[in-house]
Each structure stands twice: as C-alpha cells, then as structure tokens.
Amino acid sequence: MGCRMKVFGLDEGAAIDMSAEERLDSCQKILQVMAKSGFPCHIRSLEEAMDSSFITTDSSKDSLASTELPDLDEQSQGHRSNNGLDTDRPQPAEKPKTNGLPIDKDFKEKCIHYDESEIKLKELLKSLKSVTAKEDLIKSLRYNILIDTARKHSHTKVMTGDCSTRLSVRLLSDISQGKGAHVAMETNLDFSSKEVTLHNVLNDVESVFIPTLTTKAPQNTSIEHLTESFITGLQADYGSTVMNIMRTGEKLNTEILDSTEQQCIICHAPLDTSTGIASALNAVEFSQKISRKNDDKSSPECCGEGDGSCNTKSGRLNKEEALSTLCYGCRLMVKDLSDVNKLPEYIQRDITNRVNRSKMKADIQDYLLADD
Amino acid sequence: MPVSCSICDGKAILKRPKTGDALCKECFYYAFEEEIHKTIIDAKLFTSGETVAIGASGGKDSTVLAYTMKELNQRYNYGLDLVLLSVDEGITGYRDDSLETVKRNQIQYDLPLKIVSYEDLYGWSMDSIVKQIGLKNNCTFCGVFRRQALDRGAMMMKVDKIVTGHNADDIAETVIMNVLRGDIGRLRRCTAITTGTDGALPRCKPFKYTYEKEIVMYAYFKKLDYFSTECIYSPNAYRGFARAYIKDVEKIRPSAIIDIIHSGESLSVKKDVRLPVQGTCERCGYMSSNPVCKACVLLEGLNRGLPRLGIGKTHKERRKADEAEKAKKAAENLNSEDQKSCDNSSDQSNNRTCGSSCQCSTDISKLTLNSKPDVSKLDF
C-alpha cells in the first residue's frame, strides 16, 4: 500500500526580480522545511521552462487527466504510514542533497547555468503588459514544470497544498478570465473532509513565506489578486462563501478528450473555442472587427518580408496562428504579449507542430474518409 | 491632437468600453446597433409575424432596448409587432416616477403600452409588503413577483415573446452570484439568451453581449429620455457584492465581462448532478421547479401573516407554521369547531388569522390571480 512520496519545491525568484543571494537564501529555507517532512526533496526553478531542452507535454501521449486528479485518500494514507515507520523507505536512488547543507554549491552552479533562461523569462514577463497575464503565464509554467518533474521521477500523481480558500479564489478568477471550461480541471478534488486531514498534517509544519508578483500590491493589480481580496472579504461576513464556491466546482465536469489536438498548447485544458455562432466568443470577435476598419491586416509581429503573410518557415510565429491553438483564456494572455516569439521554446515548438499538422490535414482533407 | 475614429477617420469622441477603440458618434451608433442585430440574427431570437413585448421599466436598459428594437425592426424588416409592457410594483417615489417615463416613451416611440400592477395581481403592493416584512428580504418578493407579473401581463396582451433589457454586465454578475451561492441549476441556465421555451412565454435578452457602459453612452448621445434612480427599497446586498466585483474586474481587463459570460457558456455540469426539474405550480399553474411556486409560497406567507415563509430555507419556517397549525387544529377539534366559523371577509387582517382549514373565497381569488382558478388544488 505504501506509495512513493517526494517533495518538490519551485523557485520562482526570477519572476519577481530577486537577487541571486535572495533566491539562494529562499531556496535553502524551502529545502530545510521540506527536509523536515522526511521525504526526498527536489527543487527546480521557474526559468527551466524557458530552456530549449525542456520537454513538451503536448507531444507525449500520456493522458494528463491522471495527473490532475490526485487521490488524496491514498496519498495521505501513504503519508501516514511513512511517517509512522521508517522501515519501508528504501529509496536509494536520488539521494537528495538536502540532509546536510552542502546545497549551496549546487545552487550557485544552477544559478549560473540558468542565467540565459532567466533572462529569457524576464524578457517574456516584461513583454506581457498586465499583471493578470503575467500571473497566468507563471501559473502555466509552474504547472508544466510540476508535471515534467513528476514524469521524470515516474510519479503518477501530484498533490498540491492548496486549501479550499485558495482553490475557490482560483475558481472564481478562472471564471473571470474566461476559463470556465477549465475550472473543473483545477478544483475537481474529492476534497471536503480530506482537506481537513491534509491540513492537519501540514499544520504543525513550519512554513516559509514566499513573496509573489502581487505581494504587497494594491488589490486591483491583477484579477487573481482582486478575486482573492474579494473572497476573503466575503468569507469574513458570509462564512459559507468558500464552501459554496467549492460546491459549485465539485458539480462541474471536466471534458474527456480523445486527442491532444483538442488541447490548449499552453495550459492543456480542452479547447473551448469551437463555440456556436451565437456565443460570447463570436460576439466579441465581431465587436473587434466592426469597430475597426476592414482590411487592416498589419499584424505587428509580421516578419516584415514579402506581403506580410508570414508563414512558419521564416522561423517566426504568427500571432494569429498561435492564437488558433489556444483556449479562450490563454488567448487573452497571449493577446497581451507584444511578441509571441518570446514564449518558451517548448510552447513555440508545440504551436508550430500543431499549426503544421492542421495545415497538412487541410491539404489532404478531401481524401480523408473518416472525420476524427 | 484629436484622435481619429478607427472606422471612418473622422473625429473620434469616445473610446468604446468594450474594445477600447476610438470612434465617432455615428460609427459608435453603427457598431452598437449592428452588434445587437447580429445577436438577434445569430441566436434566431424572433420569427416574422410575432408580437413581442418589451419589458419596460423606464430605466436606461429598457429605454434603449425599446428604441433599438423599433429601429432595427424597421431597418431590417423583422416583421415584429412591438408593444411595451410595464410592471407597477407599487413603490411610491420610485416606480410611479419611472412609469411616467415609460408613458412618455409610449408616445415618443408610438408603441402600445400595458401596465400590470402587483396590487391588482397579488393584492399587495411593494409598499405594503415592505410595511410588513421590513427592508430586509423585500427584494425576494419583488423579484419573484415581477417575473410572474411580466408573464401575466404578456399573456393578457397575447404576445409571443418578451424581450428584457438585461445587459452583459447583468449576466456576468448573475454568473458570479450563482457561483458564490453554489446554485448549479441557475448557473447553467443564466447564460441562455432565451429562457422559458418549455411551456411559459419565451424571454430573450438581445443585450446579452452589450456592455452597460455602452448602453449608457448610447442613451447619453442619443439624448434618450430615461429614469435613473435606484430603487428606494434596494440594495440586494449579496448582488451588490457581485456587482462591485464585476466593476473592479472590468477595470483591470475590460473584456472580463464577456470573458465571464464565455466561462458561463462553456461550463459543463457533471451528468450525475441532479438539476431541478421544471414543472408547474399546483396552485396557479405557473412554471415552477417545486410543487408550489415561489410566488404562491410568498403570497401565502403574506396572507397568513408569516411573511418569512418563503424566505431562505423554506422548511424551517414551514415547520414552525405547520406545528402551530397542528396545535391549532387539535384545539379546534377539541372544541368541535368547524371551518364555517371562519369569517369570509376580504379584510387582510382577517385573512392573516385564518388557519390551514380556512377556505376564505377572497383568498382564493387573490391567489389564483388571473389564471383559471382551481379550487380543488388549494390546500388551505
């Protein structure tokens, strides 16, 4: 029954312009706390997603659904048995570098190694105008690193320490960001009572405060930040708010996908953009079209060669094409981005592949018998 | 340097709240009207030859709705017969004034007008309800009664459809409200552009994707005559929170209102979640997801002097009332008193003291309103 547990930490210092020393310090604190859990620990940093060697999740065939739905029951049982007895813990592989504190060197090396990626990440974040979009992007990168780490260590499930307040904030802010189709994906945990168990387990563990993009920022900095203060405020007056929101989340469905082609490249949620003619998406596209002059097609990220109809052969992504591979919510984020070519390489690769494949499909469409 | 209109290069005088584009007045009217036309066509809201009632409150949304509906009906030959329908809730200092606006609109737009009042339909005006229930929860009565009143008025006018001025902000707000309340049934229904297709009169919202700010802009530049005062018995506190939240989110990202509606449209509900089944009220025949519709429960509460009967969790108040009745019945049986002793007076105070065994005829006529009375089904 025992299951293999590891603790992962993520260093997001690059996103908030922490100095190398601060990040090192923060990582050490995280590691110390994680080490107390008695599990092998790993720490990775956010800019790793910018590295050209970062593996895409889109191309791998595994169903993501299994990673989405942590079976908390099983895991907390595993947790308990591990806590109680140390006997069935022979995990010699991946001897973590945590137990002593010889980590400094490792991390210094890491910091140097990821310098280039760090710059890329900072540039990417800078080219996003709104904090909302920045947060959204960081969330996607964080998620992908988590999944990637879990895969590399052949873990089948990921458990995060989000409490119900956190989850309900995310649910509502997802809805406000046009991600209604995904909310079930993020909150679909059989949560209620187990959450308490989980909380108790975590309760007497000391914690590290990690600043984020919106720490100390005014509440209207980003949609998520605003939603957080909205919900915590409401919760103070109407105690059932968080539970009500969680109840809504529980009743929502995650679509089951038959192919990765219908997934959003960035967040891997089911594509929600093939809506009917009478839909919000259609209406908003019409509004944009009608209040601008017609035939005005000078897209700013065109390569500047030829007649402006960039294709992917020039090695640069076209924003319109990129948008076609994204869900409604991620489109909003990318629209905020001044240059799609600043996106992490793995995302660009996936977009190019998807676009090429759909072009191929369009070419041979007439000869395809079954419509899949 | 003057900003130029992004459609005609003329002098722009406004920035569209929805898209951020700078437009001149004429181009804004064009975009605004075309979008509504597109919504009407895309969602196939009407068929030629239909009579459509415009729910008119005298406020900005319904005034602009009446204006644009008339305009588009002529421009694009929808072939609709348009009428104005207003509900008089009986709120002194608010509705009486706004109804004056509707009466002016009737003349300005040359459309027939019908006003139905709570007083006539239910025997209670909002003023008298508030006297009994106070300022808390009175919005529940008003909301439930208005829904039915509009339908009843529409039936009297023999219309095929009702259009209401609900705008994108209202719908986004309702999505958020239903998430906050965990009301999955309403959450699923609230983004539908047409409701009530099963049985009752269909209602549609041509302004579903129209921003409130743009409606105000339109009314402002067209100098439309509308009434803009908040209801004196307002505020529905919880809705107010959702409203404030929407406004704040819109400030951060103007597309958020449409984004929220998109979210609402693409939410899918788990198959095993039980959703309320729409049936009809066994007392008045109006559609309802319970055996007795909310309006009848609220009315029963008012008439029996238990105004909280239909508020919040029904069973608690219901149980209290039932227990009181049981005790009363037992006492009646003991005294071998029968129903005939009950006075048939139409006096409200007398009605309130009637127990469950009372069969006051005045009560029945008031409860069944203008639909066919079905006395056998009345259980009190």
Side-chain angles (χ1 to χ4, degrees), chain B residues 6-28:
Chain B
S6 56
I7 299 180
C8 74
D9 288 333
K11 189 173 166 253
I13 56 155
L14 58 89
K15 200 175 109 188
R16 275 199 84 175
K18 197 171 178 180
T19 64
D21 294 306
L23 295 180
C24 70
K25 216 195 298 190
E26 291 306 319
C27 288
F28 170 67

mmCIF file with all atom_site columns, all heavy atoms in Angstrom, chain B residues 6-28:
data_model
loop_
_atom_site.group_PDB
_atom_site.id
_atom_site.type_symbol
_atom_site.label_atom_id
_atom_site.label_alt_id
_atom_site.label_comp_id
_atom_site.label_asym_id
_atom_site.label_entity_id
_atom_site.label_seq_id
_atom_site.pdbx_PDB_ins_code
_atom_site.Cartn_x
_atom_site.Cartn_y
_atom_site.Cartn_z
_atom_site.occupancy
_atom_site.B_iso_or_equiv
_atom_site.pdbx_formal_charge
_atom_site.auth_seq_id
_atom_site.auth_comp_id
_atom_site.auth_asym_id
_atom_site.auth_atom_id
_atom_site.pdbx_PDB_model_num
ATOM 1   N N   . SER B 1 6  ? -11.619 55.035 -35.554 1.00 0.00 ? 6  SER B N   1
ATOM 2   C CA  . SER B 1 6  ? -10.923 53.915 -36.175 1.00 0.00 ? 6  SER B CA  1
ATOM 3   C C   . SER B 1 6  ? -11.750 53.261 -37.284 1.00 0.00 ? 6  SER B C   1
ATOM 4   O O   . SER B 1 6  ? -11.293 52.335 -37.918 1.00 0.00 ? 6  SER B O   1
ATOM 5   C CB  . SER B 1 6  ? -10.502 52.887 -35.126 1.00 0.00 ? 6  SER B CB  1
ATOM 6   O OG  . SER B 1 6  ? -11.609 52.461 -34.397 1.00 0.00 ? 6  SER B OG  1
ATOM 7   N N   . ILE B 1 7  ? -12.943 53.748 -37.530 1.00 0.00 ? 7  ILE B N   1
ATOM 8   C CA  . ILE B 1 7  ? -13.693 53.229 -38.670 1.00 0.00 ? 7  ILE B CA  1
ATOM 9   C C   . ILE B 1 7  ? -13.666 54.234 -39.836 1.00 0.00 ? 7  ILE B C   1
ATOM 10  O O   . ILE B 1 7  ? -13.305 53.902 -40.951 1.00 0.00 ? 7  ILE B O   1
ATOM 11  C CB  . ILE B 1 7  ? -15.166 52.922 -38.290 1.00 0.00 ? 7  ILE B CB  1
ATOM 12  C CG1 . ILE B 1 7  ? -15.215 51.856 -37.182 1.00 0.00 ? 7  ILE B CG1 1
ATOM 13  C CG2 . ILE B 1 7  ? -15.943 52.444 -39.526 1.00 0.00 ? 7  ILE B CG2 1
ATOM 14  C CD1 . ILE B 1 7  ? -16.608 51.476 -36.741 1.00 0.00 ? 7  ILE B CD1 1
ATOM 15  N N   . CYS B 1 8  ? -14.029 55.503 -39.575 1.00 0.00 ? 8  CYS B N   1
ATOM 16  C CA  . CYS B 1 8  ? -14.202 56.436 -40.692 1.00 0.00 ? 8  CYS B CA  1
ATOM 17  C C   . CYS B 1 8  ? -13.156 57.534 -40.750 1.00 0.00 ? 8  CYS B C   1
ATOM 18  O O   . CYS B 1 8  ? -13.215 58.399 -41.630 1.00 0.00 ? 8  CYS B O   1
ATOM 19  C CB  . CYS B 1 8  ? -15.595 57.059 -40.616 1.00 0.00 ? 8  CYS B CB  1
ATOM 20  S SG  . CYS B 1 8  ? -15.737 58.279 -39.288 1.00 0.00 ? 8  CYS B SG  1
ATOM 21  N N   . ASP B 1 9  ? -12.198 57.527 -39.807 1.00 0.00 ? 9  ASP B N   1
ATOM 22  C CA  . ASP B 1 9  ? -11.150 58.547 -39.758 1.00 0.00 ? 9  ASP B CA  1
ATOM 23  C C   . ASP B 1 9  ? -11.660 59.944 -39.406 1.00 0.00 ? 9  ASP B C   1
ATOM 24  O O   . ASP B 1 9  ? -10.899 60.902 -39.414 1.00 0.00 ? 9  ASP B O   1
ATOM 25  C CB  . ASP B 1 9  ? -10.364 58.626 -41.091 1.00 0.00 ? 9  ASP B CB  1
ATOM 26  C CG  . ASP B 1 9  ? -9.459  57.419 -41.260 1.00 0.00 ? 9  ASP B CG  1
ATOM 27  O OD1 . ASP B 1 9  ? -9.054  56.865 -40.227 1.00 0.00 ? 9  ASP B OD1 1
ATOM 28  O OD2 . ASP B 1 9  ? -9.207  57.030 -42.412 1.00 0.00 ? 9  ASP B OD2 1
ATOM 29  N N   . GLY B 1 10 ? -12.932 60.042 -39.100 1.00 0.00 ? 10 GLY B N   1
ATOM 30  C CA  . GLY B 1 10 ? -13.462 61.327 -38.632 1.00 0.00 ? 10 GLY B CA  1
ATOM 31  C C   . GLY B 1 10 ? -12.965 61.600 -37.220 1.00 0.00 ? 10 GLY B C   1
ATOM 32  O O   . GLY B 1 10 ? -12.121 60.879 -36.688 1.00 0.00 ? 10 GLY B O   1
ATOM 33  N N   . LYS B 1 11 ? -13.492 62.626 -36.591 1.00 0.00 ? 11 LYS B N   1
ATOM 34  C CA  . LYS B 1 11 ? -13.037 62.968 -35.254 1.00 0.00 ? 11 LYS B CA  1
ATOM 35  C C   . LYS B 1 11 ? -13.712 62.054 -34.225 1.00 0.00 ? 11 LYS B C   1
ATOM 36  O O   . LYS B 1 11 ? -14.940 62.024 -34.122 1.00 0.00 ? 11 LYS B O   1
ATOM 37  C CB  . LYS B 1 11 ? -13.372 64.429 -34.964 1.00 0.00 ? 11 LYS B CB  1
ATOM 38  C CG  . LYS B 1 11 ? -12.757 64.940 -33.699 1.00 0.00 ? 11 LYS B CG  1
ATOM 39  C CD  . LYS B 1 11 ? -12.975 66.448 -33.545 1.00 0.00 ? 11 LYS B CD  1
ATOM 40  C CE  . LYS B 1 11 ? -12.660 66.881 -32.137 1.00 0.00 ? 11 LYS B CE  1
ATOM 41  N NZ  . LYS B 1 11 ? -13.841 67.215 -31.351 1.00 0.00 ? 11 LYS B NZ  1
ATOM 42  N N   . ALA B 1 12 ? -12.893 61.330 -33.512 1.00 0.00 ? 12 ALA B N   1
ATOM 43  C CA  . ALA B 1 12 ? -13.448 60.403 -32.515 1.00 0.00 ? 12 ALA B CA  1
ATOM 44  C C   . ALA B 1 12 ? -13.863 61.173 -31.284 1.00 0.00 ? 12 ALA B C   1
ATOM 45  O O   . ALA B 1 12 ? -13.187 62.121 -30.883 1.00 0.00 ? 12 ALA B O   1
ATOM 46  C CB  . ALA B 1 12 ? -12.421 59.345 -32.154 1.00 0.00 ? 12 ALA B CB  1
ATOM 47  N N   . ILE B 1 13 ? -14.977 60.774 -30.690 1.00 0.00 ? 13 ILE B N   1
ATOM 48  C CA  . ILE B 1 13 ? -15.378 61.478 -29.469 1.00 0.00 ? 13 ILE B CA  1
ATOM 49  C C   . ILE B 1 13 ? -15.505 60.524 -28.290 1.00 0.00 ? 13 ILE B C   1
ATOM 50  O O   . ILE B 1 13 ? -15.797 60.936 -27.193 1.00 0.00 ? 13 ILE B O   1
ATOM 51  C CB  . ILE B 1 13 ? -16.704 62.246 -29.639 1.00 0.00 ? 13 ILE B CB  1
ATOM 52  C CG1 . ILE B 1 13 ? -17.801 61.293 -30.095 1.00 0.00 ? 13 ILE B CG1 1
ATOM 53  C CG2 . ILE B 1 13 ? -16.571 63.416 -30.578 1.00 0.00 ? 13 ILE B CG2 1
ATOM 54  C CD1 . ILE B 1 13 ? -19.167 61.792 -29.713 1.00 0.00 ? 13 ILE B CD1 1
ATOM 55  N N   . LEU B 1 14 ? -15.321 59.228 -28.525 1.00 0.00 ? 14 LEU B N   1
ATOM 56  C CA  . LEU B 1 14 ? -15.430 58.309 -27.396 1.00 0.00 ? 14 LEU B CA  1
ATOM 57  C C   . LEU B 1 14 ? -14.539 57.104 -27.604 1.00 0.00 ? 14 LEU B C   1
ATOM 58  O O   . LEU B 1 14 ? -14.099 56.802 -28.717 1.00 0.00 ? 14 LEU B O   1
ATOM 59  C CB  . LEU B 1 14 ? -16.880 57.843 -27.224 1.00 0.00 ? 14 LEU B CB  1
ATOM 60  C CG  . LEU B 1 14 ? -17.557 57.131 -28.403 1.00 0.00 ? 14 LEU B CG  1
ATOM 61  C CD1 . LEU B 1 14 ? -17.329 55.632 -28.354 1.00 0.00 ? 14 LEU B CD1 1
ATOM 62  C CD2 . LEU B 1 14 ? -19.049 57.408 -28.368 1.00 0.00 ? 14 LEU B CD2 1
ATOM 63  N N   . LYS B 1 15 ? -14.261 56.428 -26.488 1.00 0.00 ? 15 LYS B N   1
ATOM 64  C CA  . LYS B 1 15 ? -13.499 55.187 -26.543 1.00 0.00 ? 15 LYS B CA  1
ATOM 65  C C   . LYS B 1 15 ? -14.463 54.073 -26.169 1.00 0.00 ? 15 LYS B C   1
ATOM 66  O O   . LYS B 1 15 ? -15.080 54.106 -25.105 1.00 0.00 ? 15 LYS B O   1
ATOM 67  C CB  . LYS B 1 15 ? -12.357 55.259 -25.526 1.00 0.00 ? 15 LYS B CB  1
ATOM 68  C CG  . LYS B 1 15 ? -11.241 54.285 -25.820 1.00 0.00 ? 15 LYS B CG  1
ATOM 69  C CD  . LYS B 1 15 ? -10.083 54.498 -24.851 1.00 0.00 ? 15 LYS B CD  1
ATOM 70  C CE  . LYS B 1 15 ? -10.010 53.339 -23.892 1.00 0.00 ? 15 LYS B CE  1
ATOM 71  N NZ  . LYS B 1 15 ? -9.067  53.497 -22.803 1.00 0.00 ? 15 LYS B NZ  1
ATOM 72  N N   . ARG B 1 16 ? -14.632 53.111 -27.055 1.00 0.00 ? 16 ARG B N   1
ATOM 73  C CA  . ARG B 1 16 ? -15.583 52.032 -26.759 1.00 0.00 ? 16 ARG B CA  1
ATOM 74  C C   . ARG B 1 16 ? -15.157 51.260 -25.525 1.00 0.00 ? 16 ARG B C   1
ATOM 75  O O   . ARG B 1 16 ? -14.073 50.682 -25.500 1.00 0.00 ? 16 ARG B O   1
ATOM 76  C CB  . ARG B 1 16 ? -15.642 51.043 -27.928 1.00 0.00 ? 16 ARG B CB  1
ATOM 77  C CG  . ARG B 1 16 ? -16.569 51.401 -29.022 1.00 0.00 ? 16 ARG B CG  1
ATOM 78  C CD  . ARG B 1 16 ? -16.879 50.181 -29.849 1.00 0.00 ? 16 ARG B CD  1
ATOM 79  N NE  . ARG B 1 16 ? -17.949 49.419 -29.232 1.00 0.00 ? 16 ARG B NE  1
ATOM 80  C CZ  . ARG B 1 16 ? -18.504 48.346 -29.786 1.00 0.00 ? 16 ARG B CZ  1
ATOM 81  N NH1 . ARG B 1 16 ? -18.060 47.893 -30.935 1.00 0.00 ? 16 ARG B NH1 1
ATOM 82  N NH2 . ARG B 1 16 ? -19.479 47.709 -29.182 1.00 0.00 ? 16 ARG B NH2 1
ATOM 83  N N   . PRO B 1 17 ? -16.024 51.175 -24.513 1.00 0.00 ? 17 PRO B N   1
ATOM 84  C CA  . PRO B 1 17 ? -15.652 50.416 -23.313 1.00 0.00 ? 17 PRO B CA  1
ATOM 85  C C   . PRO B 1 17 ? -15.365 48.951 -23.632 1.00 0.00 ? 17 PRO B C   1
ATOM 86  O O   . PRO B 1 17 ? -14.552 48.319 -22.982 1.00 0.00 ? 17 PRO B O   1
ATOM 87  C CB  . PRO B 1 17 ? -16.888 50.540 -22.424 1.00 0.00 ? 17 PRO B CB  1
ATOM 88  C CG  . PRO B 1 17 ? -17.586 51.762 -22.895 1.00 0.00 ? 17 PRO B CG  1
ATOM 89  C CD  . PRO B 1 17 ? -17.308 51.857 -24.361 1.00 0.00 ? 17 PRO B CD  1
ATOM 90  N N   . LYS B 1 18 ? -16.016 48.435 -24.653 1.00 0.00 ? 18 LYS B N   1
ATOM 91  C CA  . LYS B 1 18 ? -15.907 47.010 -24.929 1.00 0.00 ? 18 LYS B CA  1
ATOM 92  C C   . LYS B 1 18 ? -14.593 46.653 -25.618 1.00 0.00 ? 18 LYS B C   1
ATOM 93  O O   . LYS B 1 18 ? -13.983 45.639 -25.316 1.00 0.00 ? 18 LYS B O   1
ATOM 94  C CB  . LYS B 1 18 ? -17.079 46.609 -25.821 1.00 0.00 ? 18 LYS B CB  1
ATOM 95  C CG  . LYS B 1 18 ? -17.370 45.136 -25.887 1.00 0.00 ? 18 LYS B CG  1
ATOM 96  C CD  . LYS B 1 18 ? -18.681 44.957 -26.635 1.00 0.00 ? 18 LYS B CD  1
ATOM 97  C CE  . LYS B 1 18 ? -19.088 43.532 -26.833 1.00 0.00 ? 18 LYS B CE  1
ATOM 98  N NZ  . LYS B 1 18 ? -20.362 43.478 -27.561 1.00 0.00 ? 18 LYS B NZ  1
ATOM 99  N N   . THR B 1 19 ? -14.155 47.468 -26.545 1.00 0.00 ? 19 THR B N   1
ATOM 100 C CA  . THR B 1 19 ? -12.965 47.114 -27.323 1.00 0.00 ? 19 THR B CA  1
ATOM 101 C C   . THR B 1 19 ? -11.824 48.106 -27.168 1.00 0.00 ? 19 THR B C   1
ATOM 102 O O   . THR B 1 19 ? -10.698 47.828 -27.564 1.00 0.00 ? 19 THR B O   1
ATOM 103 C CB  . THR B 1 19 ? -13.306 47.057 -28.827 1.00 0.00 ? 19 THR B CB  1
ATOM 104 O OG1 . THR B 1 19 ? -13.700 48.361 -29.253 1.00 0.00 ? 19 THR B OG1 1
ATOM 105 C CG2 . THR B 1 19 ? -14.416 46.086 -29.115 1.00 0.00 ? 19 THR B CG2 1
ATOM 106 N N   . GLY B 1 20 ? -12.096 49.259 -26.604 1.00 0.00 ? 20 GLY B N   1
ATOM 107 C CA  . GLY B 1 20 ? -11.053 50.254 -26.455 1.00 0.00 ? 20 GLY B CA  1
ATOM 108 C C   . GLY B 1 20 ? -10.822 51.094 -27.697 1.00 0.00 ? 20 GLY B C   1
ATOM 109 O O   . GLY B 1 20 ? -9.955  51.956 -27.714 1.00 0.00 ? 20 GLY B O   1
ATOM 110 N N   . ASP B 1 21 ? -11.595 50.854 -28.767 1.00 0.00 ? 21 ASP B N   1
ATOM 111 C CA  . ASP B 1 21 ? -11.395 51.614 -29.990 1.00 0.00 ? 21 ASP B CA  1
ATOM 112 C C   . ASP B 1 21 ? -12.001 53.011 -29.886 1.00 0.00 ? 21 ASP B C   1
ATOM 113 O O   . ASP B 1 21 ? -13.057 53.193 -29.299 1.00 0.00 ? 21 ASP B O   1
ATOM 114 C CB  . ASP B 1 21 ? -12.065 50.889 -31.169 1.00 0.00 ? 21 ASP B CB  1
ATOM 115 C CG  . ASP B 1 21 ? -11.399 49.577 -31.459 1.00 0.00 ? 21 ASP B CG  1
ATOM 116 O OD1 . ASP B 1 21 ? -10.173 49.585 -31.659 1.00 0.00 ? 21 ASP B OD1 1
ATOM 117 O OD2 . ASP B 1 21 ? -12.088 48.541 -31.470 1.00 0.00 ? 21 ASP B OD2 1
ATOM 118 N N   . ALA B 1 22 ? -11.295 53.963 -30.490 1.00 0.00 ? 22 ALA B N   1
ATOM 119 C CA  . ALA B 1 22 ? -11.817 55.332 -30.524 1.00 0.00 ? 22 ALA B CA  1
ATOM 120 C C   . ALA B 1 22 ? -12.770 55.446 -31.703 1.00 0.00 ? 22 ALA B C   1
ATOM 121 O O   . ALA B 1 22 ? -12.441 55.039 -32.812 1.00 0.00 ? 22 ALA B O   1
ATOM 122 C CB  . ALA B 1 22 ? -10.662 56.315 -30.675 1.00 0.00 ? 22 ALA B CB  1
ATOM 123 N N   . LEU B 1 23 ? -13.967 55.979 -31.441 1.00 0.00 ? 23 LEU B N   1
ATOM 124 C CA  . LEU B 1 23 ? -14.963 56.069 -32.504 1.00 0.00 ? 23 LEU B CA  1
ATOM 125 C C   . LEU B 1 23 ? -15.630 57.437 -32.487 1.00 0.00 ? 23 LEU B C   1
ATOM 126 O O   . LEU B 1 23 ? -15.650 58.123 -31.464 1.00 0.00 ? 23 LEU B O   1
ATOM 127 C CB  . LEU B 1 23 ? -16.058 55.002 -32.325 1.00 0.00 ? 23 LEU B CB  1
ATOM 128 C CG  . LEU B 1 23 ? -15.672 53.532 -32.450 1.00 0.00 ? 23 LEU B CG  1
ATOM 129 C CD1 . LEU B 1 23 ? -16.905 52.671 -32.230 1.00 0.00 ? 23 LEU B CD1 1
ATOM 130 C CD2 . LEU B 1 23 ? -15.061 53.236 -33.805 1.00 0.00 ? 23 LEU B CD2 1
ATOM 131 N N   . CYS B 1 24 ? -16.202 57.796 -33.642 1.00 0.00 ? 24 CYS B N   1
ATOM 132 C CA  . CYS B 1 24 ? -17.031 58.993 -33.678 1.00 0.00 ? 24 CYS B CA  1
ATOM 133 C C   . CYS B 1 24 ? -18.457 58.572 -33.311 1.00 0.00 ? 24 CYS B C   1
ATOM 134 O O   . CYS B 1 24 ? -18.753 57.383 -33.220 1.00 0.00 ? 24 CYS B O   1
ATOM 135 C CB  . CYS B 1 24 ? -17.001 59.633 -35.048 1.00 0.00 ? 24 CYS B CB  1
ATOM 136 S SG  . CYS B 1 24 ? -17.866 58.658 -36.288 1.00 0.00 ? 24 CYS B SG  1
ATOM 137 N N   . LYS B 1 25 ? -19.316 59.541 -33.108 1.00 0.00 ? 25 LYS B N   1
ATOM 138 C CA  . LYS B 1 25 ? -20.663 59.239 -32.640 1.00 0.00 ? 25 LYS B CA  1
ATOM 139 C C   . LYS B 1 25 ? -21.409 58.307 -33.598 1.00 0.00 ? 25 LYS B C   1
ATOM 140 O O   . LYS B 1 25 ? -21.940 57.279 -33.199 1.00 0.00 ? 25 LYS B O   1
ATOM 141 C CB  . LYS B 1 25 ? -21.432 60.568 -32.508 1.00 0.00 ? 25 LYS B CB  1
ATOM 142 C CG  . LYS B 1 25 ? -22.387 60.568 -31.335 1.00 0.00 ? 25 LYS B CG  1
ATOM 143 C CD  . LYS B 1 25 ? -23.410 61.682 -31.361 1.00 0.00 ? 25 LYS B CD  1
ATOM 144 C CE  . LYS B 1 25 ? -22.903 63.086 -31.312 1.00 0.00 ? 25 LYS B CE  1
ATOM 145 N NZ  . LYS B 1 25 ? -23.941 64.091 -31.104 1.00 0.00 ? 25 LYS B NZ  1
ATOM 146 N N   . GLU B 1 26 ? -21.389 58.659 -34.877 1.00 0.00 ? 26 GLU B N   1
ATOM 147 C CA  . GLU B 1 26 ? -22.150 57.873 -35.848 1.00 0.00 ? 26 GLU B CA  1
ATOM 148 C C   . GLU B 1 26 ? -21.640 56.441 -35.947 1.00 0.00 ? 26 GLU B C   1
ATOM 149 O O   . GLU B 1 26 ? -22.423 55.490 -36.015 1.00 0.00 ? 26 GLU B O   1
ATOM 150 C CB  . GLU B 1 26 ? -22.096 58.557 -37.242 1.00 0.00 ? 26 GLU B CB  1
ATOM 151 C CG  . GLU B 1 26 ? -22.859 59.875 -37.311 1.00 0.00 ? 26 GLU B CG  1
ATOM 152 C CD  . GLU B 1 26 ? -24.310 59.739 -36.864 1.00 0.00 ? 26 GLU B CD  1
ATOM 153 O OE1 . GLU B 1 26 ? -24.963 58.730 -37.225 1.00 0.00 ? 26 GLU B OE1 1
ATOM 154 O OE2 . GLU B 1 26 ? -24.799 60.616 -36.109 1.00 0.00 ? 26 GLU B OE2 1
ATOM 155 N N   . CYS B 1 27 ? -20.318 56.287 -35.954 1.00 0.00 ? 27 CYS B N   1
ATOM 156 C CA  . CYS B 1 27 ? -19.748 54.942 -36.052 1.00 0.00 ? 27 CYS B CA  1
ATOM 157 C C   . CYS B 1 27 ? -20.043 54.127 -34.794 1.00 0.00 ? 27 CYS B C   1
ATOM 158 O O   . CYS B 1 27 ? -20.193 52.912 -34.856 1.00 0.00 ? 27 CYS B O   1
ATOM 159 C CB  . CYS B 1 27 ? -18.252 54.997 -36.318 1.00 0.00 ? 27 CYS B CB  1
ATOM 160 S SG  . CYS B 1 27 ? -17.873 55.533 -37.996 1.00 0.00 ? 27 CYS B SG  1
ATOM 161 N N   . PHE B 1 28 ? -20.119 54.806 -33.657 1.00 0.00 ? 28 PHE B N   1
ATOM 162 C CA  . PHE B 1 28 ? -20.474 54.095 -32.436 1.00 0.00 ? 28 PHE B CA  1
ATOM 163 C C   . PHE B 1 28 ? -21.914 53.581 -32.517 1.00 0.00 ? 28 PHE B C   1
ATOM 164 O O   . PHE B 1 28 ? -22.185 52.420 -32.209 1.00 0.00 ? 28 PHE B O   1
ATOM 165 C CB  . PHE B 1 28 ? -20.298 55.001 -31.215 1.00 0.00 ? 28 PHE B CB  1
ATOM 166 C CG  . PHE B 1 28 ? -20.879 54.424 -29.949 1.00 0.00 ? 28 PHE B CG  1
ATOM 167 C CD1 . PHE B 1 28 ? -20.323 53.284 -29.374 1.00 0.00 ? 28 PHE B CD1 1
ATOM 168 C CD2 . PHE B 1 28 ? -21.996 54.998 -29.357 1.00 0.00 ? 28 PHE B CD2 1
ATOM 169 C CE1 . PHE B 1 28 ? -20.873 52.735 -28.216 1.00 0.00 ? 28 PHE B CE1 1
ATOM 170 C CE2 . PHE B 1 28 ? -22.551 54.457 -28.200 1.00 0.00 ? 28 PHE B CE2 1
ATOM 171 C CZ  . PHE B 1 28 ? -21.986 53.319 -27.636 1.00 0.00 ? 28 PHE B CZ  1
#
